[in-house]
Amino acid sequence: MLDICLLGTGGMMPLPKRFLTSLMCRYNGSNILIDCGEATQIAIKEKGWTVKPIDVICFTHYHADHISGLPGLLLAMKNAEREEPITMIGPKGLERVVKSLCVIAPEIPFDINFIEIKEPEESFEINGYRINAFKLKHKVTCYGYSIEIDRAGKFDLDKAKELGLPVTSWGKLQSGEDVEFEGKTYTPDMVMGPARRGLKVTYATDSRPCDSIAENAKDSDLFICEGMYGEPDMEEKAKEKTHMTFKEACEIGAKAQPKEMWLTHYSPSLIRPWDYVDNYKDIFDRVKAGKDGMSLELNFDEE
């Protein structure tokens, strides 16, 4: 099970009823945060979750509305008596930026492991899931992220019995380990069926439309995409600011074909984004206007 919460949906600045764009995911005891604008720790508390177990933080880029809440978040984690290390992932310059911010959050009692993205696309295996980073098209270096959880094939009980393997070896084979038995080596593929469909969530903001978004969001269970402007005739402003309109985001959704799509990172001038989203459902009908605290529980497909 993968728990998803869109903590905030605002771009540029927080508003009285709209936190800045941030996403939190929980899987098998691991808590992943993507972006951390001002007051992110309050959005987490409003959701009823806690900052203490966050062990991975990914940053799309280093504009203030995506990272300026980090000192407060780290202090909140300190006050929650966290001592275990956390991992941070982001574009080149991550360690320098974070250490500069931490000048106002001294004496953090846990280590920070930095992973700086250097290529247009990179993957990281962490805590039983995979984080795929892919480059976006913004005024500064910016990355989107997909979180993927693979699912092994079914264990073939009849094959295991046919091979004469003891019950004590079955668990190791199911977890991907080779087994030695009576002088022979048995590999997982000998008793496991083909891999089954896993889970995938893709998050992309801030960006103009680009091929990497649709390619990485393809077949996602949930695709969260920036839609800064919902009003008609805003494409020129979106180009100027290197952001996207609802229409452009939905065109990407139509290419990627996720099960569900949420829009986020709204302009402060866009007061009621849900008033506009229906105008673009003829392009992609599984789109919703994201709202602060919007949540989804993803489960593997039933057999």
Side-chain angles (χ1 to χ4, degrees), residues 267-286:
S267 165
S269 64
L270 186 61
I271 304 302
R272 295 176 58 84
W274 42 89
D275 286 348
Y276 297 94
V277 72
D278 285 349
N279 297 336
Y280 306 101
K281 286 193 173 181
D282 60 329
I283 301 172
F284 185 67
D285 64 355
R286 296 191 296 277

Side-chain angles (χ1 to χ4, degrees), residues 11-295:
M12 299 175 64
M13 65 183 75
L15 298 176
K17 294 184 179 180
R18 185 186 294 167
F19 290 114
L20 290 170
T21 309
S22 181
L23 180 72
M24 192 164 171
C25 308
R26 305 193 303 181
Y27 172 70
N28 200 26
S30 181
N31 289 243
I32 313 139
L33 185 69
I34 304 181
D35 281 340
C36 186
E38 299 166 57
T40 293
Q41 73 270 36
I42 300 174
I44 293 170
K45 189 169 184 178
E46 283 205 356
K47 169 60 183 172
W49 291 358
T50 175
V51 300
K52 185 175 181 179
I54 295 172
D55 49 7
V56 179
I57 304 177
C58 302
F59 297 102
T60 55
H61 61 299
Y62 305 133
H63 280 161
D65 57 334
H66 294 261
I67 195 171
S68 62
L70 183 63
L73 179 80
L74 294 177
L75 288 172
M77 295 171 76
K78 173 185 175 181
N79 292 337
E81 300 182 348
R82 182 185 176 88
E83 296 180 350
E84 299 80 13
I86 63 172
T87 296
M88 293 189 186
I89 300 172
K92 187 177 179 181
L94 172 66
E95 185 170 359
R96 173 180 54 82
V97 171
V98 170
K99 287 185 175 179
S100 296
L101 288 169
C102 284
V103 169
I104 59 171
E107 299 178 5
I108 299 300
F110 44 82
D111 293 331
I112 300 174
N113 301 316
F114 296 100
I115 299 176
E116 298 196 351
I117 309 166
K118 299 174 183 176
E119 302 297 329
E121 294 199 15
E122 288 192 48
S123 292
F124 311 97
E125 300 281 346
I126 301 176
N127 300 333
Y129 51 85
R130 182 170 56 260
I131 296 175
N132 296 319
F134 53 95
K135 201 166 187 180
L136 301 178
K137 188 177 181 181
H138 195 39
K139 286 185 177 180
V140 299
T141 301
C142 185
Y143 283 86
Y145 293 96
S146 285
I147 299 169
E148 296 189 54
I149 301 168
D150 295 329
R151 191 184 188 193
K154 282 187 174 181
F155 181 74
D156 192 324
L157 182 62
D158 292 334
K159 282 187 178 179
K161 288 180 176 178
E162 184 182 319
L163 292 168
L165 291 168
V167 175
T168 52
S169 69
W170 294 359
K172 289 183 178 180
L173 289 164
Q174 284 179 291
S175 63
E177 297 179 45
D178 293 350
V179 168
E180 296 286 339
F181 179 65
E182 294 184 345
K184 293 182 180 179
T185 300
Y186 296 87
T187 55
D189 60 285
M190 299 170 74
V191 293
M192 301 297 292
R196 291 169 287 180
R197 188 181 187 279
L199 297 173
K200 181 179 178 182
V201 175
T202 302
Y203 175 95
T205 181
D206 305 14
S207 183
R208 290 293 299 147
C210 55
D211 291 341
S212 65
I213 303 177
E215 290 166 2
N216 283 275
K218 184 174 174 58
D219 299 328
S220 293
D221 293 275
L222 177 62
F223 172 34
I224 300 173
C225 184
E226 105 144 48
M228 194 154 202
Y229 305 105
E231 312 94 326
D233 305 320
M234 293 295 282
E235 191 167 332
E236 288 305 313
K237 187 167 186 179
K239 288 178 180 178
E240 176 191 345
K241 302 293 185 180
T242 62
H243 288 289
M244 268 192 275
T245 64
F246 282 19
K247 178 177 182 288
E248 290 171 322
C250 286
E251 288 170 345
I252 294 174
K255 292 178 183 176
Q257 288 297 311
K259 286 187 176 180
E260 188 169 331
M261 178 179 176
W262 297 351
L263 298 175
T264 191
H265 200 267
Y266 306 130
S267 165
S269 64
L270 186 61
I271 304 302
R272 295 176 58 84
W274 42 89
D275 286 348
Y276 297 94
V277 72
D278 285 349
N279 297 336
Y280 306 101
K281 286 193 173 181
D282 60 329
I283 301 172
F284 185 67
D285 64 355
R286 296 191 296 277
V287 63
K288 296 179 181 178
K291 296 182 180 181
D292 286 18
M294 197 164 173
S295 301

